[in-house]
C-alpha cells in the first residue's frame, strides 16, 4: 500500500469534478465516496441532495472562514494505492484506510470534531483519492509535520492486517514503482511490459555479466537499447542513461532513464562495484560449467555473511547477479521459474547497509557468474541434468541469504529471498521430472484404458480416480498424498499422462524415485511439478501447474512449505518480459 502526497492545489471543485468524472481515457469506473469527515455527508454520485459543487463549497467553508491571510494552496490530495496483484479491498476497508491516513497526516486526528474536512473517493478497484482542505473548523492550522512518514507507517500496519504485499520505506533499497501511465502506455502499444521494466531487466543482465566499463556498455548496446554516456570535462565517464528504441515523449524525443532511476544498484558507481576485484581464471570445459558453478555456490553458502554486516551485504549483492545470469542461460524447461526467481531476489540483493567488495563468499559467487557467462553458448546449456546440481546448490545459497537477512532484521529482504527460494525449488522439481523422463526406458504405448487404474466408463477426465496408481507406485506415501489439498491437481496431471499413452503408475514411480520426498510438507505438489517436467521433456503440450500451492523450501534440508503459483492469485510480482519467454533469452557474450 502506497500513500503518495500529491502537490497541493487551490481548486477543490476542479479536483472533485475530475475524480467523479470519467477520467482522461474513461478509466474511472463507478466513482463514489467511501468516507468523509462527517458520516452523514451525502455522496454526490448516489444522492440528489448534494452536488459536486456543493461538496466543494462544504470542504472550502473553513478556509473561507479563516481570519487574516488564507493559504494559497489549501487543497491536500493523497492517492492511496495497492499493488495490482493485492486482493481487492471493500469500501468499508478503504474507509478505515482513509480515516487512519487523515489521522496520521494530522488532518483529522481521531476524536477531534474541529479537525479539517475531507472526503475519500474511489473510482477504481486498487486505490482511493483523499481530498482535504488545510484549515481546521476552529480556525487554526493543522499540524502536518512528518505527515508523509506517519502515513507510510500506517500503510505498513494495514499491509499486515489486510494481508497485502508488504513494502518498506526509508531503507533506500526499493526500485521505483511502475507508474500507472507507463503501464497504460505499454498496454496501448501492445507491449508485455513498460519501458522502465524492459530497461531494468536489460541493464541488470548486462551489469551482472560485465567485467569492465567497456564490456558493460557493449552489452547494453548489444541488447538493443539506446545508450548515452555522461562524460566529465576530464574525459571520464560519470554516468549513463538508456532508452527503449521507439519510446518517445509528445515532442518525439527519446525518453531517457538514468541508471539510478531504474534501481539503487544500477547507478554507474554501483555497477562498477561488481568488477572492482581482479579477474579470475574461470576456464572450464563447457560440460563442466554447471558443476563448477555448483561447487562454488555450495562453498559460498556456508560463508555468506561470516565476515559481518558489511561483508554480508556484498555477498547477497553478488548472489543476486548470479541468479540473474543463471536465469538468462538456464535450460528452457525451467527458464520461467528462474526468471521469476531473479525478479523476486532483486530486493534481497540490496541490503540497507554499506557493502564490502571483499569476502570469500562474494568472490565465489562472482566466479560462478563469470563461469556461466563464458559458457552461455556451450553444449549442455539446455541440459537439465547438468543444471540440476547447480539449482539445488542455489536453493541452499538463497536460503542462507534469507537467514542472514532475518538475523539482521531486514524483513523485506528476507521475504524476497523466501519467494525466490520457493521459485527455485519449483525449478529443481521440474528438472527432476525432466531428468526422469529423459532416462526412462521407452515402453510401447498402452491403450487409453489402463488395467487396475480404477477407471470407470462414463466418468469425466476430472473425475477419473487414480488412487490405484498412487497406491501401487507410492504405498508408503499414498495416504498422505490422497489427503493433500493438491491431490486434485496431481490426479489431473496423472490423467494427462495416461491420455498420452503412458502408464501413470510407472511414471509416478519413476519421478518419485529420483529424489527423496520425506521432507516435503506437500508431497502431492512436489509430484505435480515433477510430472510437469516429465511431460515437457516427453514433448507434451501442457500448462504450468495451476494448483493453489507449490512446494517451497523452508530450509537448506529440502523441507517444503505451501506457496501460491501461477493459475491463482499470487503474492509474487509478474516479472518483466514474461509474456515474451518463448522468444528465448539473450545469449551471453
Amino acid at each position: 500500500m502506497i500513500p503518495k502526497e500529491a502537490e497541493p492545489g487551490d481548486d477543490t471543485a476542479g479536483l472533485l469534478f475530475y475524480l467523479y468524472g470519467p477520467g482522461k481515457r474513461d478509466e474511472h469506473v463507478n466513482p463514489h465516496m467511501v468516507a468523509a469527515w462527517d458520516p452523514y455527508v451525502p455522496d454526490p454520485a448516489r444522492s440528489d441532495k448534494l452536488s459536486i459543487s456543493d461538496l466543494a463549497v462544504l470542504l472550502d467553508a473553513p478556509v473561507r472562514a479563516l481570519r487574516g491571510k488564507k493559504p494559497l494552496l489549501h487543497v491536500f490530495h493523497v492517492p492511496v494505492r495497492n499493488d495490482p496483484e493485492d486482493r481487492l479491498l471493500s469500501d468499508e476497508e478503504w474507509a478505515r484506510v482513509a480515516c487512519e491516513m487523515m489521522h496520521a497526516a494530522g488532518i483529522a486526528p481521531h476524536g477531534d470534531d474541529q479537525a479539517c474536512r475531507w472526503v475519500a473517493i474511489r473510482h477504481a478497484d486498487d486505490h482511493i483519492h483523499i481530498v482535504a482542505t488545510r484549515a481546521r473548523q476552529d480556525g487554526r492550522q493543522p499540524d502536518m509535520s512528518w505527515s508523509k512518514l506517519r502515513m507510510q507507517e500506517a500503510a505498513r500496519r494495514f499491509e499486515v492486517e489486510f494481508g497485502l504485499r508488504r513494502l518498506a520505506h526509508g531503507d533506500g533499497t526499493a526500485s521505483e514503482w511502475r507508474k500507472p501511465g507507463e503501464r497504460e502506455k505499454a498496454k496501448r502499444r501492445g507491449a508485455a511490459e513498460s519501458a522502465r521494466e524492459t530497461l531494468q531487466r536489460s541493464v541488470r543482465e548486462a551489469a551482472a555479466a560485465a567485467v569492465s566499463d567497456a564490456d558493460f556498455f557493449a552489452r547494453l548496446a548489444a541488447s538493443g537499447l539506446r545508450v548515452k554516456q555522461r562524460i566529465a570535462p576530464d574525459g571520464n565517464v560519470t554516468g549513463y542513461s538508456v532508452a527503449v528504441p521507439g519510446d518517445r515523449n509528445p515532442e518525439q524525443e527519446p525518453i531517457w532513464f538514468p541508471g539510478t532511476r531504474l534501481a539503487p544498484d544500477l547507478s554507474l558507481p554501483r555497477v562498477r562495484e561488481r568488477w572492482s576485484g581482479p579477474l579470475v581464471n574461470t576456464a572450464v570445459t563447457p560440460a563442466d560449467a554447471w558443476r563448477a558453478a555448483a561447487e562454488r555456490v555450495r562453498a559460498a553458502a556456508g560463508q555468506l555473511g561470516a565476515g559481518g554486516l558489511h561483508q554480508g551485504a556484498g555477498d547477497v549483492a553478488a548472489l543476486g547477479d548470479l541468479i540473474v545470469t543463471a536465469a538468462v542461460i538456464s535450460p528452457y524447461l525451467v527458464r520461467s521459474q528462474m526468471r521469476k526467481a531473479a525478479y523476486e531476489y532483486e530486493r534481497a540483493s540490496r541490503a540497507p547497509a554499506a557493502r564490502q567488495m571483499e569476502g570469500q563468499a562474494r568472490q565465489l559467487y562472482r566466479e560462478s557468474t563469470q563461469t556461466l557467462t563464458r559458457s552461455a553458448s556451450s553444449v549442455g546449456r539446455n541440459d537439465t541434468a547438468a543444471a540440476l546440481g547447480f539449482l539445488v546448490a542455489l536453493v541452499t545459497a538463497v536460503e542462507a541469504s534469507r537467514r542472514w537477512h532475518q538475523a539482521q532484521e531486514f524483513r523485506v529482504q528476507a521475504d524476497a529471498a523466501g519467494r525466490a527460494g520457493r521459485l527455485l525449488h519449483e525449478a529443481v522439481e521440474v528438472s527432476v521430472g525432466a531428468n526422469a523422463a529423459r532416462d526412462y526406458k521407452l515402453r510401447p504405448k498402452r491403450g487409453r484404458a489402463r488395467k487396475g487404474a480404477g477407471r470407470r466408463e462414463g466418468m469425466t477426465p476430472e473425475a477419473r480416480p487414480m488412487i490405484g496408481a498412487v497406491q501401487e507406485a507410492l504405498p508408503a506415501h499414498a495416504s498422505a498424498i490422497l489427503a493433500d489439498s493438491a491431490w486434485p491437481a496431481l490426479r489431473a496431471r496423472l490423467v494427462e499422462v495416461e491420455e498420452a499413452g503412458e502408464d501413470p503408475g510407472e511414471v509416478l514411480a519413476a519421478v518419485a524415485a529420483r529424489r527423496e520426498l520425506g521432507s516435503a510438507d506437500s508431497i502431492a505438489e512436489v509430484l505435480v511439478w515433477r510430472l510437469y517436467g516429465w511431460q515437457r521433456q516427453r514433448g507434451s503440450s501442457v500448462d504450468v501447474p495451476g494448483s493453489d500451492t507449490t512446494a517451497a523450501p523452508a530450509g537448506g534440508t529440502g523441507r517444503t512449505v505451501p506457496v501460491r503459483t501461477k493459475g491463482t492469485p499470487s503474492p509474487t510480482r509478474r516479472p518483466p518480459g514474461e509474456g515474451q519467454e518463448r522468444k528465448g533469452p539473450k545469449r551471453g557474450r
Side-chain angles (χ1 to χ4, degrees):
M1 178 179 290
I2 297 183
K4 186 173 182 181
E5 189 173 324
E7 292 294 325
D10 60 0
D11 186 2
T12 307
L15 178 57
L16 290 177
F17 272 107
Y18 169 73
L19 296 177
Y20 273 107
K24 295 180 180 179
R25 289 176 295 274
D26 297 325
E27 70 272 20
H28 295 177
V29 178
N30 186 27
H32 61 281
M33 184 189 301
V34 296
W37 81 94
D38 185 333
Y40 298 103
V41 174
D43 181 0
R46 298 178 175 179
S47 173
D48 296 331
K49 296 180 180 179
L50 192 73
S51 67
I52 297 176
S53 298
D54 294 335
L55 179 60
V57 170
L58 286 177
L59 287 169
D60 284 340
V63 179
R64 299 182 183 280
L66 287 175
R67 297 178 181 178
K69 188 176 181 180
K70 298 177 174 57
L72 294 177
L73 301 175
H74 66 278
V75 180
F76 180 76
H77 177 204
V78 178
V80 185
R81 187 179 301 273
N82 284 343
D83 187 276
E85 295 183 1
D86 281 334
R87 73 173 181 87
L88 300 184
L89 301 186
S90 65
D91 283 353
E92 291 73 19
E93 288 172 322
W94 276 121
R96 283 192 54 208
V97 170
C99 291
E100 193 62 34
M101 290 298 169
M102 291 296 91
H103 169 75
I107 290 288
H110 295 324
D112 187 348
D113 58 1
Q114 295 297 311
C116 301
R117 296 182 176 183
W118 60 273
V119 294
I121 299 166
R122 182 181 189 180
H123 56 211
D125 288 335
D126 62 352
H127 70 276
I128 60 172
H129 291 262
I130 308 175
V131 180
T133 47
R134 299 172 185 259
R136 291 173 51 85
Q137 297 178 74
D138 57 10
R140 295 186 291 115
Q141 292 292 321
D143 179 9
M144 299 181 60
S145 56
W146 303 100
S147 60
K148 293 181 181 179
L149 178 61
R150 293 201 299 253
M151 286 192 292
Q152 291 287 348
E153 291 173 346
R156 302 294 82 77
R157 294 193 294 270
F158 278 118
E159 288 164 2
V160 175
E161 179 181 351
F162 293 157
L164 308 177
R165 184 175 184 84
R166 298 180 66 180
L167 306 178
H169 64 282
D171 68 2
T173 65
S175 298
E176 289 196 28
W177 267 46
R178 307 181 300 273
K179 294 178 172 56
E182 294 173 350
R183 294 197 299 267
E184 293 166 3
K185 182 178 180 180
K187 185 177 180 180
R188 293 196 304 272
R189 297 176 64 183
E193 59 186 356
S194 68
R196 182 192 300 273
E197 292 168 318
T198 298
L199 295 172
Q200 285 176 336
R201 175 173 48 81
S202 300
V203 173
R204 188 169 300 284
E205 290 175 359
V211 295
S212 65
D213 276 26
D215 190 18
F216 173 60
F217 288 117
R219 289 177 182 275
L220 289 180
S223 68
L225 303 183
R226 302 187 64 173
V227 185
K228 180 171 62 177
Q229 299 181 19
R230 185 171 66 250
I231 302 177
D234 60 2
N236 291 324
V237 179
T238 60
Y240 72 98
S241 298
V242 287
V244 174
D247 185 34
R248 298 178 178 272
N249 61 20
E251 289 73 34
Q252 295 304 304
E253 299 171 339
I255 300 178
W256 295 98
F257 287 81
T260 189
R261 281 183 54 197
L262 298 176
D265 58 341
L266 294 182
S267 64
L268 188 57
R270 291 290 301 275
V271 169
R272 283 171 170 160
E273 289 178 352
R274 291 166 164 85
W275 54 79
S276 59
L279 290 177
V280 294
N281 181 13
T282 57
V284 295
T285 62
D288 289 338
W290 290 113
R291 179 190 55 77
E295 290 177 356
R296 291 187 174 97
V297 171
R298 280 193 292 269
Q303 301 176 27
L304 191 149
L309 173 61
H310 294 171
Q311 190 177 103
D315 294 344
V316 296
L319 177 57
D321 285 343
L322 174 59
I323 298 174
V324 168
T325 299
V328 172
I329 70 169
S330 58
Y332 177 72
L333 288 180
V334 297
R335 198 169 297 157
S336 173
Q337 286 83 14
M338 293 296 293
R339 286 183 171 179
K340 292 176 184 178
Y343 186 74
E344 288 296 341
Y345 193 80
E346 177 190 326
R347 187 67 181 275
S349 69
R350 297 193 292 267
R355 295 157 307 286
Q356 285 182 1
M357 298 302 105
E358 301 80 15
Q360 188 65 23
R362 182 182 186 277
Q363 183 69 9
L364 289 169
Y365 288 141
R366 286 297 295 166
E367 290 175 7
S368 300
T369 299
Q370 293 173 29
T371 296
L372 296 181
T373 300
R374 296 182 184 184
S375 305
S377 58
S378 67
V379 176
R381 167 179 172 172
N382 290 310
D383 188 347
T384 54
L388 178 58
F390 172 79
L391 293 177
V392 173
L394 204 56
V395 168
T396 303
V398 170
E399 174 59 21
S401 74
R402 185 186 69 84
R403 292 196 299 266
W404 180 82
H405 280 303
Q406 285 183 328
Q408 312 305 321
E409 298 185 355
F410 299 153
R411 176 182 55 79
V412 175
Q413 284 78 6
D415 290 347
R419 293 192 298 271
R422 290 190 284 271
L423 290 161
L424 288 171
H425 190 82
E426 291 178 6
V428 167
E429 299 302 345
V430 171
S431 298
V432 169
N435 293 339
R438 189 184 64 175
D439 299 337
Y440 186 68
K441 185 178 179 180
L442 186 63
R443 298 170 182 269
K445 289 193 173 183
R446 297 174 179 249
R448 294 181 62 86
R450 175 180 174 271
K451 183 178 179 180
R455 177 177 170 185
R456 295 192 295 272
E457 295 297 329
M459 298 189 70
T460 64
E462 293 77 16
R464 293 175 195 164
M466 286 289 168
I467 297 175
V470 174
Q471 292 173 335
E472 176 186 343
L474 300 170
H477 299 295
S479 59
I481 291 173
L482 298 176
D484 198 309
S485 61
W487 161 241
L490 176 58
R491 181 180 60 194
R493 192 64 66 181
L494 290 171
V495 168
E496 293 175 359
V497 169
E498 183 184 49
E499 291 179 339
E502 297 184 285
D503 188 301
E506 292 180 359
V507 172
L508 189 63
V511 298
R514 298 293 294 204
R515 197 162 181 259
E516 63 87 22
L517 293 168
S519 62
D521 284 349
S522 176
I523 296 176
E525 191 63 37
V526 169
L527 294 173
V528 169
W529 281 105
R530 292 188 188 180
L531 289 175
Y532 169 70
W534 172 286
Q535 292 172 288
R536 291 292 300 275
Q537 181 66 33
R538 304 286 276 189
S540 301
S541 177
V542 294
D543 294 329
V544 176
S547 55
D548 289 338
T549 60
T550 185
T557 60
R559 180 173 172 79
T560 57
V561 294
V563 63
R564 292 183 180 275
T565 59
K566 184 176 178 181
T568 57
S570 169
T572 58
R573 296 172 289 177
R574 181 176 182 266
E578 189 65 16
Q580 301 172 339
E581 279 183 44
R582 293 189 179 274
K583 297 181 181 179
K586 305 179 184 66
R587 291 185 177 269
R589 290 174 63 85

